[in-house]
Amino acid sequence: MHIPDGVFESPVIVSTSVLGALGLAYACSRLGDQLRERTIALMGSTAAFIFAAQMVNFPLFPLPISGHLLGGVLAAVLLGPWAGAGVIAAVLLVQCLLFQDGGLTALGANFLNMGLIGSVGGYAIYSPIQRAFGGRKGVLIGAMLASWFAVILASGAFAIELAASGNRADFFRVFGLITLVHAGIGLGEAIITGLVLRVILQTRPDLIGDSVESPARGIKSWGKVALGGFAVAAAVAIFLAPFASSEKDGLEYVGTAMSFLNEEAPAVVASPIPGYAMPGLQNYEGLATATAGLVGTAIVFLAGVSMASVFTSTVTKVALDEV
Amino acid sequence: MRSDRSIASGPLAGVDVRIKLLVSFGYVLTVVATPLGWWWFFAAETSLLLLVFVLARVSFRELVGRWLGFLSLVALMALAVAVSHPLRPEIGLASIWGTILLKNSLAFGALFTLSQITQHHILLHGLGRLGLPKPLVATLQFMYRSVFILRDEFDRMAKARRSRSFGKKSWGDWSSLAGLLGRLFLRSYERSERVHAAMLARGWDGTVRTLDGADSR
């Protein structure tokens, strides 16, 4: 997910850098108001944790690649959307400058995708869901669904940036492939975010603030709900985008890449290929992507509900009341 | 990421961190902006970088090791970009792929040298002196401190786990692995909270002072 140098053309580099810098400046100005003693400690350890967690890759079986946590929603739930974006900016800066992970000229795009869309966009989805369910249950389910959608949104933004760099001919195929891959990353993201937040909600709910105690509340601001709804709609549109492609020649993009690999280096990549040639799915890339979207959302929601069930059990309640 | 890591001791190590940062950024921007097919220009950029490697006395073993690891990450994405590149019919897949890899390698070399000839906390500090917003610099500095705390906590938890499970590895137990991550976050947060309180008690006012004579402003 960390875009390297040389992938984008100059206009995309300039525009994403300007947008990223403006977003960062706004996030920092919002941070200046709420920067208290404890916030710095929490921001520093959240950034360190996300930095460490991103070093751990989880395999995306059956694809021959792996993904890692992005952490935008996790940071936003702990710290609020703008501080969350600031944390992601710190992580990206350290990775780029000290460890050469992610290109310097792609820093703006990486921050746009993972910081602004990941944290601020993710929070816009999280907030109404959290209010609807209320309490710790709402925090967990909201954060997990928001992580899932935020990863998809970030991957869509990456596909658009790539297309703006001139790769328009293959736009929908690239789009479909990137979304499919990120559906897997999104599942991992949602599960890890949920697991970490569950422990925090069980032992130190005060870190997440006053939203934990409040029961389910009605809608306070329709504007915020609309913003969250818009973000979800955009994510859904990303899943449906491959349908808009006039050519229905399936995972041809992957095919092109893999057949090229086949000619050059058959021994190395021969084994993963049969995984792509799933009979029946070959000609329905749009269907595959849309199915991934639907199934993924259902899985994340069910996982969230089952993980949140720990908060409604009487045992936990009694234990926490005694504290 | 060790706090006591030694830095390469070439003549470039003593240069002001702001100059190092600006020169490396300028170099990376030039490399990325170089158009496809300007091979003589790429050759000049490469020889400049090689000269800097020698001057900075970077460890070649570490450089090559990290570079190969870096290439393995970038190669696949560069290939995906090259396959759908609009100029592919004219220039050819191999040279587009090669150019992306070359640009990334040169940018990697420049930033690698930067991180080798500068202490990491001074590097982060230098960003603040170049105008990075203060809340972000504070977060960076505290993050840098917290990474070591996190690693210490992880070592402790791993040791405790080993001693309780008699070395048996049962990573299949997802629920305990799951709790581990969250507890690692909480423990390192609680410890960095105490570290932060101790820093405040010793008069920390939000400015990290370093021995290079400049405060982050």
Side-chain angles (χ1 to χ4, degrees):
Chain A
M1 194 67 204
H2 286 46
I3 305 160
D5 284 313
V7 168
F8 296 144
E9 296 299 318
S10 305
V12 178
I13 292 175
V14 172
S15 49
T16 51
S17 301
V18 168
L19 278 176
L22 286 177
L24 186 62
Y26 183 69
C28 285
S29 74
R30 290 289 299 257
L31 262 176
D33 307 336
Q34 61 155 71
L35 206 61
R36 293 188 311 272
E37 299 304 313
R38 212 180 79 163
T39 320
I40 277 290
L42 189 50
M43 280 181 76
S45 18
T46 310
F49 180 75
I50 290 175
F51 170 77
Q54 289 199 349
M55 288 185 190
V56 182
N57 285 296
F58 48 84
L60 291 176
F61 197 75
L63 300 171
I65 42 176
S66 57
H68 61 72
L69 184 80
L70 305 187
V73 172
L74 181 64
V77 170
L78 283 169
L79 296 154
W82 297 103
V87 161
I88 300 297
V91 171
L92 290 173
L93 267 173
V94 166
Q95 283 169 334
C96 172
L97 292 180
L98 304 187
F99 298 92
Q100 294 82 48
D101 185 11
L104 185 68
T105 56
L107 208 51
N110 278 326
F111 178 62
L112 206 60
N113 300 350
M114 288 186 267
L116 291 180
I117 294 176
S119 252
V120 182
Y123 195 82
I125 301 174
Y126 158 80
S127 183
I129 302 177
Q130 193 274 323
R131 294 179 73 91
F133 282 92
R136 291 183 288 173
K137 203 174 175 181
V139 172
L140 195 67
I141 296 174
M144 286 177 73
L145 279 173
S147 323
W148 157 253
F149 282 124
V151 171
I152 302 302
L153 281 176
S155 78
F158 170 57
I160 290 169
E161 287 150 8
L162 203 58
S165 289
N167 299 28
R168 279 190 206 88
D170 286 304
F171 180 61
F172 284 108
R173 278 176 284 169
V174 174
F175 210 92
L177 176 73
I178 292 174
T179 312
L180 268 181
V181 168
H182 282 83
I185 295 181
L187 281 181
E189 174 91 11
I191 301 292
I192 295 175
T193 305
L195 291 173
V196 172
L197 281 177
R198 190 167 74 151
V199 175
I200 296 173
L201 286 167
Q202 277 174 313
T203 42
R204 286 288 302 269
D206 59 301
L207 290 183
I208 298 177
D210 58 354
S211 59
V212 173
E213 281 102 45
S214 58
R217 287 168 295 184
I219 281 131
K220 192 181 170 191
S221 147
W222 280 103
K224 280 183 181 165
V225 176
L227 202 64
F230 176 74
V232 171
V236 171
I238 288 170
F239 281 119
L240 296 180
F243 272 135
S245 167
S246 53
E247 313 155 69
K248 284 201 173 174
D249 44 8
L251 298 169
E252 199 182 288
Y253 175 72
V254 187
T256 322
M258 289 301 156
S259 66
F260 162 80
L261 284 171
N262 242 349
E263 289 158 18
E264 300 288 316
V268 186
V269 286
S271 52
I273 295 167
Y276 290 108
M278 277 186 286
L281 277 183
Q282 215 155 12
N283 297 318
Y284 299 97
E285 179 200 41
L287 192 65
T289 311
T291 312
L294 206 63
V295 172
T297 310
I299 291 177
V300 170
F301 181 72
L302 290 176
V305 170
S306 80
M307 277 168 63
S309 65
V310 71
F311 298 130
T312 49
S313 72
T314 47
V315 181
T316 327
K317 256 188 184 161
V318 170
L320 275 158
D321 287 345
E322 281 170 358
V323 171
Chain B
M1 205 168 178
R2 300 193 307 270
S3 53
D4 56 342
R5 58 188 284 286
S6 58
I7 58 167
S9 60
L12 295 181
V15 179
D16 189 299
V17 61
R18 287 170 294 182
I19 296 176
K20 288 188 212 168
L21 278 165
L22 289 178
V23 170
S24 334
F25 288 2
Y27 178 79
V28 172
L29 289 184
T30 316
V31 165
V32 172
T34 310
L36 275 164
W38 285 32
W39 298 114
W40 55 272
F41 205 77
F42 280 121
E45 285 166 347
T46 312
S47 15
L48 182 66
L49 187 63
L50 291 176
L51 184 71
V52 171
F53 283 157
V54 175
L55 275 180
R57 290 186 209 150
V58 294
S59 147
F60 272 84
R61 175 184 290 197
E62 199 178 339
L63 172 69
V64 172
R66 289 275 306 279
W67 180 57
L68 290 178
F70 171 80
L71 272 190
S72 70
L73 284 176
V74 173
L76 197 66
M77 182 181 258
L79 182 66
V81 170
V83 164
S84 58
H85 198 280
L87 289 176
R88 186 183 162 190
E90 298 157 44
I91 300 177
L93 183 65
S95 41
I96 294 177
W97 192 36
T99 308
I100 298 178
L101 289 185
L102 180 65
K103 282 183 177 183
N104 268 294
S105 303
L106 295 179
F108 166 83
L111 293 185
F112 176 81
T113 313
L114 175 69
S115 71
Q116 288 298 105
I117 58 173
T118 320
Q119 296 279 8
H120 283 173
H121 65 275
I122 293 178
L123 197 67
L124 300 179
H125 197 161
L127 288 174
R129 294 172 66 194
L130 282 176
L132 202 71
K134 205 176 170 191
L136 193 59
V137 178
T139 306
L140 280 170
Q141 286 167 336
F142 221 83
M143 172 193 174
Y144 187 70
R145 183 75 186 80
S146 303
V147 164
F148 303 107
I149 296 175
L150 190 82
R151 194 193 53 191
D152 290 351
E153 287 299 329
F154 180 80
D155 288 347
R156 281 197 198 100
M157 283 168 70
K159 191 187 278 175
R161 187 192 157 85
R162 274 200 306 277
S163 57
R164 277 198 298 266
S165 62
F166 301 100
K168 184 174 172 252
K169 281 183 186 145
S170 59
W171 290 106
D173 191 353
W174 275 92
S175 61
S176 78
L177 186 64
L180 224 75
L181 260 181
R183 275 200 298 280
L184 175 63
F185 173 78
L186 273 183
R187 285 176 59 155
S188 57
Y189 166 66
E190 278 166 359
R191 217 178 130 225
S192 49
E193 210 175 24
R194 291 198 294 279
V195 167
H196 185 242
M199 284 163 78
L200 289 177
R202 286 164 179 77
W204 190 56
D205 58 356
T207 309
V208 173
R209 290 178 173 79
T210 56
L211 292 177
D212 69 345
D215 298 339
S216 81
R217 277 184 286 267

